[in-house]
Amino acid sequence: MQGRCAALLAAAGLASLGAAGCGGASRDGVGVAGGAAREPTIEAVAAELEAMSGPILEGREATFRGILADTVAKDAYLCLPPARGVFHGDAPEGERRIAGVMPHYGLFFGPMSYLVRRRGGAWEVEVRIAVEPPAGAGAWLELPDCGLAGALGGAIACRGTPYARAGSTDACPGSGEFTARATPAAIRALLARWSAEVEGYWNRDARAFGLPVRYDFDFVLADEARGRALRVDLAVPLSPTCGRTPYFSAMRAGWSLPVLAHEVGHVLGLLDEYEALSGIVRCYPKTPFPGAEISRMGLSMREETRLLPIHHYLVLRRFFCRAPASIDPYADAIR
């Protein structure tokens, strides 16, 4: 990796970062400008992230070091800046569109796409997902809870225990009946709720760890996106049911807000943190990596799981990397 810094920064238009943008570090681990520098090791970056995370990672360090190493190794964006430098360094103002794919379980590639912006000494991350509504009249939306009751009034059936409070590790536990006709008004209300609340999990956790990053997730109708020529990061159907399918095949009306926060994590290039073949017969429950039950990417459906500093770092890290020549994350593996 040594010697790659200047080329990466020049290609990315970030030459003013000096060595810091590609892993230059002072003895305290914070990126510094100028001089010959090497990227820190995975172990050094992990140690910084563990210090930022505090007691929540005690006894779980090995798992999250493995997650960090595995994600970076599979990513076509090749650089490893210091964690403190990413969050609290002197990155220049500007924005970049990050796009490509990430490999999931060694079985398939899933798309990632988002806009990352540096402004006023802080980070902004934007994701826009466009959905095609269900075809045909008379369709019903399966919902996870009564959250649209205020917007739709009596047009929603609302009985039982909301999915997010059902105490189950199943994303679709069948703990109640929450439905509404798939009218334009209901679909707009659903997308407005997702836009307002899903990003809240990411922003809540960034604030909890004192990280200067704000997330803006926007769910829109595909026709609206086309009509307004909006940048779209993911275009998928809106499925009217609940169920476990890949995030790039559909957004499902029955997914709870915590599950949606997990799925947007994939659009941001994060990988699942549970055993690949767990729950293969019954689909659920999945088995998180040991210690990853605290993580949104390990146990998605619980309100209390968190997006840790490692997750925010993995999203922001790519701002400092050269755009990959290929979207194949293994293209650099054989020389």
Side-chain angles (χ1 to χ4, degrees):
M1 305 289 283
Q2 188 174 10
R4 189 185 294 171
C5 243
L8 291 183
L9 295 173
L14 299 174
S16 62
L17 272 174
C22 192
S26 66
R27 282 177 293 179
D28 65 0
V30 179
V32 294
R38 289 177 296 177
E39 291 185 343
T41 63
I42 284 286
E43 291 75 14
V45 173
E48 288 184 293
L49 293 169
E50 288 158 15
M52 294 177 189
S53 302
I56 194 171
L57 280 193
E58 288 182 5
R60 302 178 171 94
E61 294 89 348
T63 286
F64 285 95
R65 287 189 178 211
I67 290 168
L68 175 66
D70 182 62
T71 305
V72 170
K74 290 175 176 175
D75 199 336
Y77 283 82
L78 300 174
C79 70
L80 190 68
R84 288 197 189 106
V86 167
F87 291 118
H88 305 297
D90 295 325
E93 298 201 345
E95 67 178 38
R96 289 190 67 189
R97 172 89 179 270
I98 304 298
V101 297
M102 288 294 285
H104 296 259
Y105 318 126
L107 299 175
F108 61 85
F109 288 91
M112 69 172 176
S113 176
Y114 56 97
L115 188 73
V116 59
R117 180 183 298 114
R118 179 75 173 181
R119 182 164 59 185
W123 296 102
E124 301 169 4
V125 177
E126 297 181 3
V127 173
R128 181 174 293 113
I129 297 175
V131 301
E132 292 282 357
W140 288 80
L141 298 175
E142 181 181 355
L143 303 170
D145 53 35
C146 303
L148 295 185
L152 301 180
I156 180 173
C158 193
R159 292 182 289 274
T161 303
Y163 288 178
R165 295 200 297 271
S168 171
T169 54
D170 191 330
C172 304
S175 57
E177 180 186 357
F178 312 99
T179 57
R181 287 197 178 276
T183 63
I187 291 171
R188 287 186 177 278
L190 180 67
L191 298 183
R193 186 190 185 203
W194 288 357
S195 298
E197 298 192 35
V198 173
E199 66 191 37
Y201 292 91
W202 288 77
N203 290 324
R204 175 198 70 183
D205 297 342
R207 288 193 302 269
F209 292 107
L211 305 178
V213 53
R214 182 181 64 82
Y215 295 88
D216 181 11
F217 302 155
D218 192 19
F219 295 84
V220 299
L221 289 168
D223 282 348
E224 176 185 346
R226 287 189 289 266
R228 296 171 56 192
L230 297 176
R231 188 198 89 253
V232 170
D233 295 299
L234 183 68
V236 290
L238 174 63
S239 169
T241 64
C242 192
R244 296 308 292 160
T245 51
Y247 68 101
F248 52 83
S249 66
M251 290 286 123
R252 290 184 170 267
W255 283 346
S256 68
L257 298 173
V259 167
L260 283 159
H262 169 100
E263 300 301 335
V264 177
H266 291 317
V267 184
L268 290 166
L270 300 183
L271 303 177
D272 285 315
E273 296 168 9
Y274 49 72
E275 302 295 340
L277 299 179
S278 64
I280 197 70
V281 176
R282 298 177 55 205
C283 296
Y284 261 82
K286 296 289 187 182
T287 303
F289 297 147
E293 70 280 351
I294 65 171
S295 167
R296 176 70 56 210
M297 302 310 294
L299 198 57
S300 61
M301 69 294 301
R302 295 287 175 84
E303 290 276 353
E304 65 272 17
T305 54
R306 292 287 182 263
L307 291 147
L308 304 166
I310 181 178
H311 302 119
H312 304 284
Y313 170 80
L314 288 169
V315 170
L316 297 177
R317 176 191 69 84
R318 300 183 183 103
F319 180 87
F320 298 90
C321 303
R322 179 180 60 189
S326 167
I327 64 172
D328 177 2
Y330 302 115
D332 227 26
I334 301 175
R335 300 182 185 279

